[in-house]
Amino acid sequence: LLAAIIQCEAGGEPYSGQLAVGAVVMNRVKSGSFPNSISGVIYQSGQFTPASSGKLARVLSSGNISSSCYQAAAEALEEEMSQPIYKRILLKLSGEALAGDDHFGINANTVADIARQIKEAKDLGVEIAIVCGGDIWRGVTGAQMGMERSSADYMGMLATVMNGLAVQNALEQLGVQTRLLSAIEMRQIAEPYIRRRAVRHLEKGRIVIFGAGTGSPYFTTDTTAALRAAEINADVILMAKNGVDGVYS
């Protein structure tokens, strides 16, 4: 972006454009417009394409220095940065993330803060699906205690539904419409998982929470995240997990 503005200013004061846009970027950063949050990840930061902005394109093609150069660049930057790079995302929330400082279970304040960040992302116009982990109980833990592995894994799936209900409640308290879909039927508390239904909910602007993993033992909720992301044609998987910075292939 800075190089593009320098081209705009090539006919006179060579660095005024760089300083101007640099000031815009720094002001955005200082004001918290690039937060370390879910919405911050979705912003189109670092991937600015001048050709996509008519205002900036006109500035670049003018070759003149004018008092409007800064303003036009600022408006173009603001317009571009306000557009989400991802239209549909899948957010993987680990059970540990919901525990917060308690390190176990569900911390109400932490869940409320996560719900607020999710709402901020949704307000950008992004379609959001969520896969919840189940830190309350893990199938591997049960197997190590001598339980039959499949039974232990099913208990873990129930834990993911409990976490999903907590996230759903926190979001709905903020006025966000959500639907909890479970891979294991439990109609009193969740809709059964049907791919077309999930996609339709997303298209209607609802946040979709996937519970009960894949519905089969021996599969982690990270596997569920990758599977559901592929099924709903998500643009990206965002990993909200302790000590994990992404999914690698």
Side-chain angles (χ1 to χ4, degrees), residues 38 50 75 115 122 164 212 228:
I38 298 166
E75 291 177 359
K122 183 181 182 299
R228 297 291 185 249

Side-chain angles (χ1 to χ4, degrees), residues 67-199:
S67 59
S68 64
C69 184
Y70 170 83
Q71 183 62 33
E75 291 177 359
L77 178 65
E78 185 71 26
E79 179 181 343
E80 186 77 14
M81 298 300 288
S82 67
Q83 300 301 314
I85 186 173
Y86 305 121
K87 302 301 183 184
R88 178 177 293 171
I89 70 168
L90 186 136
L91 174 66
K92 170 62 197 323
L93 283 177
S94 70
E96 293 176 350
L98 301 179
D101 294 335
D102 293 341
H103 305 296
F104 181 80
I106 300 172
N107 183 295
N109 291 331
T110 298
V111 175
D113 182 61
I114 291 174
R116 177 187 56 77
Q117 293 189 46
I118 294 173
K119 182 180 184 298
E120 289 178 358
K122 183 181 182 299
D123 289 342
L124 296 175
V126 179
E127 297 176 357
I128 301 176
I130 302 171
V131 169
C132 287
D135 190 50
I136 299 171
W137 177 268
R138 297 180 184 274
V140 173
T141 302
Q144 292 172 347
M145 295 169 55
M147 291 184 63
E148 198 275 322
R149 176 60 189 271
S150 293
S151 296
D153 279 351
Y154 282 121
M155 290 176 64
M157 293 178 212
L158 296 178
T160 71
V161 175
M162 293 172 63
N163 286 338
L165 286 169
V167 174
Q168 181 184 40
N169 179 73
L171 286 168
E172 289 182 342
Q173 286 185 358
L174 297 174
V176 179
Q177 286 192 341
T178 68
R179 294 293 187 271
L180 175 61
L181 275 61
S182 172
I184 299 175
E185 280 202 29
M186 42 188 80
R187 292 181 180 274
Q188 286 79 0
I189 60 175
E191 298 179 18
Y193 171 70
I194 300 172
R195 188 191 68 83
R196 289 180 179 270
R197 177 179 292 182
V199 171

Side-chain angles (χ1 to χ4, degrees), residues 25-67:
V25 175
M26 289 307 298
N27 287 336
R28 291 294 301 275
V29 173
K30 289 179 180 179
S31 68
S33 296
F34 299 144
N36 182 20
S37 66
I38 298 166
S39 57
V41 173
I42 297 171
Y43 275 122
Q44 196 166 351
S45 54
Q47 299 194 34
F48 190 88
T49 52
S52 66
S53 173
K55 293 180 181 178
L56 183 55
R58 287 194 294 273
V59 173
L60 296 179
S61 63
S62 68
N64 300 318
I65 302 173
S66 66
S67 59

